[in-house]
Amino acid sequence: MPTVLVTGASGYIAKHIVLRLLRAGYHVRGSVRDAAKAQALRDALATHLPDGQADTHLSTVTLDLLHDDGWTEAATGTDVVLHTASPFPMVQPKDPQELIAPAVEGARRAIRAARDAGVTRVILTSSVAAVSGCDLPPGRTTYDERDWSDPAYPGITPYSVSKTLAEKAAWDMVASDAPGIGLTTINPGFVLGAPLDGHCGTSLAVIERLLAARDPMLPYFGFTTVDVGDIAEMHLRALQRDETIGQRLIGVADFLWFTEMAEHLARAFPDRKIVTRRAPNVVVRFLGLFDPAIRSIVPALGVRTDVDASRARDMLDMTFRDPRDSLSDTAQWLMDQGRV
């Protein structure tokens, strides 16, 4: 079976991708930023695989998004480069370059490494953040793969800028410097679902905040959501289907307001005191003066963002899981782990 280089393999989504690849019989070379994470990655996967497969089919390398060392060597001998590595913070940094530089430079290094190693297939994990940060043309109410976020759009976050510029950098490189590479991007919404180990993503911290009833009221704010397993499956199917070359593929199941998420959790876990009351926007703006996590969502208050995932459903034969079930799984995992 082919060998796939998965960058950022210890990440929340990436571990699910690696698991799908290993279960499908692929050999995986996973990159980690810190060599100490390699054993934790193997341990997380081993509990979900037949005995020994995490040792026989998985190897690891150490790569840094901001340094060239080892990238071409890591891609050499592989058949596909699957680039997932990119920072995703809970709180937006004061200096946007903390996110933009590693995202953009990492995307360029992944494409360059594939080209120099003779790899002709790259799958890049982008985001709907690279799609929906713009005004829609007149007459349209739903975003799709034709749309690109505008880094100068009012209220756009550094994270959205980083994902936009990184994805554009990858497409630009393929068009100019690496025309032999077949590129596909996967653009997930807000990802939910139980992680494979205790090293979980930023999206789970949002659910942890709900379960802990950390806020007396909830902002009028929402997400396009999707299950982590569905996003992992999209990566697997994309690399298996040549018709996805040159395509952006959005992965979302539904839009959920924050209050909808809270109300679902309150019904699913009636023993927990979960806040469901919505805060007036003026109150949220005031709280944002003191809480950076709240401050980052103020520009999106009351804004519903509908995103069309029909291309992924048609091209990849995807049936997306109800994100409410993913939300329940996330909450149950957090409680089982004693995190709330």
Side-chain angles (χ1 to χ4, degrees):
M1 286 292 286
T3 298
V4 182
L5 170 63
V6 179
T7 69
S10 62
Y12 165 52
I13 297 173
K15 280 196 288 284
H16 279 271
I17 295 171
V18 172
L19 179 61
R20 298 271 171 143
L21 291 168
L22 293 173
R23 283 177 170 171
Y26 290 88
H27 290 262
V28 175
R29 186 177 298 164
S31 85
V32 292
R33 186 175 58 182
D34 183 347
K37 293 182 178 181
Q39 189 57 49
L41 170 63
R42 188 168 278 107
D43 291 344
L45 294 164
T47 60
H48 303 274
L49 293 166
D51 288 347
Q53 190 178 2
D55 294 313
T56 59
H57 284 60
L58 173 67
S59 61
T60 58
V61 293
T62 303
L63 297 176
D64 190 314
L65 294 173
L66 294 172
H67 295 92
D68 289 333
D69 296 349
W71 279 85
T72 301
E73 292 81 1
T76 299
T78 68
D79 302 278
V80 180
V81 171
L82 202 159
H83 181 59
T84 78
S86 188
F88 180 23
M90 178 66 177
V91 177
Q92 298 296 313
K94 292 182 179 179
D95 180 4
Q97 286 301 318
E98 291 181 22
L99 298 179
I100 295 170
V104 173
E105 292 186 32
R108 287 174 176 157
R109 284 187 170 87
I111 299 294
R112 191 180 303 119
R115 179 198 65 192
D116 294 349
V119 177
T120 59
R121 193 75 172 93
V122 175
I123 314 291
L124 182 140
T125 310
S126 185
S127 171
V128 295
V131 172
S132 59
C134 63
D135 289 322
L136 284 169
R140 286 180 55 202
T141 59
T142 304
Y143 294 90
D144 62 29
E145 288 87 355
R146 293 170 291 178
D147 301 306
W148 282 94
S149 294
D150 178 0
Y153 191 66
I156 194 169
T157 64
Y159 172 73
S160 294
V161 174
S162 76
K163 298 304 289 188
T164 304
L165 296 181
E167 188 186 343
K168 285 193 171 185
W171 287 114
D172 288 346
M173 282 197 68
V174 167
S176 58
D177 298 332
I181 288 178
L183 175 64
T184 304
T185 66
I186 308 295
N187 297 68
F190 185 74
V191 181
L192 295 167
L196 298 184
D197 64 3
H199 303 284
C200 51
T202 295
S203 56
L204 272 66
V206 175
I207 310 310
E208 187 175 350
R209 186 174 185 128
L210 279 176
L211 290 170
R214 196 171 299 167
D215 305 301
M217 293 182 289
L218 302 178
Y220 188 23
F221 175 72
F223 316 89
T224 53
T225 53
V226 68
D227 185 77
V228 65
D230 287 343
I231 295 304
E233 185 66 20
M234 284 183 67
H235 284 77
L236 175 62
R237 295 185 188 187
L239 72 84
Q240 293 174 331
R241 303 185 186 201
D242 287 346
E243 61 267 32
T244 67
I245 290 172
Q247 299 290 334
R248 307 173 80 202
L249 296 168
I250 288 172
V252 299
D254 200 359
F255 181 95
L256 295 178
W257 293 107
F258 211 33
T259 48
E260 286 184 89
M261 298 170 76
E263 289 163 359
H264 173 80
L265 292 175
R267 289 190 297 270
F269 305 101
D271 293 339
R272 296 198 70 91
K273 295 180 179 179
I274 295 173
V275 175
T276 60
R277 187 166 57 134
R278 195 176 84 189
N281 289 350
V282 66
V283 172
V284 178
R285 291 189 179 95
F286 176 75
L287 294 174
L289 298 175
F290 309 98
D291 188 328
I294 294 176
R295 188 182 311 135
S296 66
I297 68 170
V298 166
L301 290 174
V303 178
R304 181 184 175 99
T305 306
D306 290 310
V307 184
D308 181 6
S310 59
R311 182 181 292 178
R313 287 194 295 269
D314 295 342
M315 190 169 284
L316 300 178
D317 298 317
M318 289 296 302
T319 299
F320 290 103
R321 189 181 185 211
D322 188 330
R324 295 162 188 82
D325 294 334
S326 310
L327 176 59
S328 295
D329 288 351
T330 306
Q332 189 63 62
W333 183 88
L334 288 166
M335 291 186 290
D336 290 345
Q337 295 292 313
R339 297 173 72 106
V340 287

